[in-house]
Amino acid sequence: MASHIVGYPRMGPKRELKFALESFWDGKSSAEDLQAVAADLRSSIWKQMAEAGIKYIPSNTFSYYDQVLDTTTMLGAVPPRYNWNGGEIGFDTYFSMARGNASVPAMEMTKWFDTNYHFIVPELGPEVTFSYASHKAVNEYKEAKALGVDTVPVFVGPVSYLLLSKPAKGVEKTFDLLSLLDKILPIYKEVITELKAAGATWIQFDEATLVKDLEAHQLAAFTKAYTELESACSGINVLVATYFADIPADAFKVLTTLPGVAGYTFDLVRGEQTLDLIKSSFPSGKYLFAGIVDGRNIWANDLAGSLSVLESLESIVGKDKLVVSTSSSLQHTAVDLVNETKLDDEIKSWLAFAAQKVVEVSALAKALAGQKDDAFFAANAAAQASRKCSPRVNNEAVQKAAAALRGSDHRRATNVSARLEAQQKKLNLPILPTTTIGSFPQTIELRRVRREYKAKKISEEDYVKAIKEEIYKVVQLQEELDIDVLVHGEPERNDMVEYFGEQLSGFAFTANGWVQSYGSRCVKPPIIYGDVSRPKAMTVFWSTMAQEMTKRPMKGMLTGPVTILNWSFVRNDQPRFETCYQIALAIKDEVEDLEKAGITVIQIDEAALREGLPLRKAEHAFYLDWAVHSFRITNVGVEDSTQIHTHMCYSNFNDIIHSIINMDADVITIENSRSDEKLLSVFREGVKYGAGIGPGVYDIHSPRIPSMEEIHDRVNKMLAVLETNILWVNPDCGLKTRKYHEVKPALENMVTAAKKLRAALASAK
């Protein structure tokens, strides 16, 4: 019985690639140094899987930034602004597309389906000339083969690539991206031909868009593409992978009748209904790569339950055609449980990170082949039973409080226009008020202080003193820049979700459970293992300290319940909405304590609300109902004069704008600049928004410093579709990832642009 891994984490257990990338970007190391680190990581990953007995080992899943960007470089689809002149695409062009440079902005970045991973959105149009411009896939296959490991090269499938793209600037928004299929398929054929010559026997195309609601012409594009590729693929086995949800019946039919395709990967963790399709109409003679081990969460597999499912599938597809697989790439989970020193043995026994999931896949395949490891299965069963009955998991009082929420709307009694009037009387803000999103740069010194405090190398008194000094510095800088509503810079927080989770019951934390978000950006998601409550106040001390340093409004900074949920590894033993309601109650307590302490502006970030939207439209309404309800629960009890802000970033919000309005926040700040101002189009199309809104005026994920004129132009575009009295001026997101020499001039330009526009508006009256 064979085993397969869809993909693997890229950063390594100690985030080696992260530090190699940042050293390269800072000019402290060479391209050769970066490539050497990457080669070492790839080598260790391939060998680890080979030693575990995995037969179908992926290659070309390793990326310096993003796998969609890798496909763009393979196709030579470089936007003209990067001045690429042909040939093999190098790091300068590659990272300019990802991060921007001194003269041009980066390409748009958005979320990969419903994950917290970001990808670089291809910009395409009828004039794009495609060419085979990156031989990465072939080179990595040869690299693995030289190490004695035969791999399955993995690609973003041609149809999904086009469906994930957008029309380039200046191209009609109605442009049919699928019309480019005939132009990109010849390049896929070139790559396949080279891989066959190098000895590859399998290739994998990730066509995850098949799980979405596709129109007939979109489904037809898959048949067209794979019919065209069939002759090039002769002599090599083609695997098409889907993941993250159930595949619709019409898409299943199209997929399983594609010419030249030998096998299919299905997510049987998030796509349980797909099992019915497999049992009723799986094609004879094809391989089924059964995604039974969860690629997106960190809970140990229920091996006995999975084995039962696999045995039922074996009777349908045949022993020689069934392959045990992960449900998706393991890039969405942490790397190796062996590196964990903070987790106690009981919780650790409930978990499996990527390295452990590889072992689970192998163990299930061996069990199906009659080589069951009884001791391994027995230990797994004991851990499953321990988790179900542990008193650490269940809190009856919390469960009752959350259950009681379902019958009420939890909406503030006064409408937003009346609230804004009451808030303006208290805050006395100018038109086009300026603010930032929350965080300021995380300096080396600041990280050292937090690290030493956690290691008990410095006292709590010394830690508080150091953080207070950092807050004072940030407050002074904002006052010097003349920003209207201030933030304290979040110096006490390494990661906003981790920070709150550490103070809530029902959460556990890892020492090295890093997951890539984009590029070199890694996060360490908390693990929600039990019922959630707030034992004590979490932010009141720091927020009131910061407010005492200034007469200007100081925002209290919180993370919303939906974002905490979506950016954590969530328990899988109860519905997600129940966990979210529990978190909402905890945040509600914190909001009310901040108000009592005199904080008049409170930001409750819901950056991940759109991210959690199910991939199938039929499931949207239920999710949005409980997600929006959870946000409203957090602030239903505050006074009209307390201004509630929220923040959202890096997702396509246009399709949920009415749900955003239904959140009933007083002010929303939202990503806008990197997505080519798509957000503004909904207001041009007639959507009315009466609350305060701050579409981001510059991209903080790029080191590029925007000019005053550029920001001035952006705000002018906003004024064409939004009322002057509701518009705020702010960056796209928090400033944590930037450096002060980038932040200061960018914010100075932002404030100058806002003042210039205020003067123009005043003189026009």
Side-chain angles (χ1 to χ4, degrees), residues 436-443 473-474 477-478 481 483 487 489 698-706 711 731 733-751:
T436 65
I437 305 306
S439 59
F440 266 67
Q442 300 278 298
T443 63
K473 180 175 74 173
V474 169
L477 172 61
Q478 291 172 93
L481 292 168
I483 292 173
V487 299
Y698 76 90
D699 175 23
I700 64 84
H701 286 92
S702 168
R704 180 175 170 272
I705 298 167
I711 295 174
C733 203
L735 304 169
K736 179 185 295 184
T737 60
R738 301 272 53 88
K739 294 182 170 56
Y740 272 104
H741 71 263
E742 299 161 346
V743 165
K744 290 178 182 177
L747 290 180
E748 187 173 37
N749 290 345
M750 183 186 83
V751 173

Side-chain angles (χ1 to χ4, degrees), residues 106-148:
M107 295 168 70
E108 179 183 350
M109 183 166 66
T110 195
K111 297 293 177 73
W112 177 250
F113 294 87
D114 59 348
T115 75
N116 188 30
Y117 177 76
H118 302 65
F119 75 94
I120 303 298
V121 182
E123 303 173 10
L124 305 177
E127 305 305 318
V128 175
T129 301
F130 297 96
S131 63
Y132 187 11
S134 171
H135 292 67
K136 173 181 177 293
V138 177
N139 292 340
E140 286 189 15
Y141 174 79
K142 291 178 178 178
E143 182 184 326
K145 194 163 187 179
L147 296 169

Side-chain angles (χ1 to χ4, degrees), residues 313-333:
L313 292 172
E314 188 178 59
S315 66
I316 297 168
V317 304
K319 185 181 287 286
D320 62 330
K321 297 296 184 184
L322 180 62
V323 180
V324 182
S325 181
T326 54
S327 65
S328 67
S329 172
L330 296 173
Q331 75 177 86
H332 307 291
T333 191

Side-chain angles (χ1 to χ4, degrees), residues 73 78 89 108 116 121 130 160 191 216 234 270 313 393 578 603 638-639 681-682 703 705 723 754 760:
T73 57
V78 181
I89 292 175
E108 179 183 350
N116 188 30
V121 182
F130 297 96
S160 289
V191 182
S234 176
R270 291 190 170 222
L313 292 172
V393 172
E578 291 187 12
Q603 181 170 307
V638 300
E639 299 291 331
S681 66
V682 299
I705 298 167
E723 296 294 329

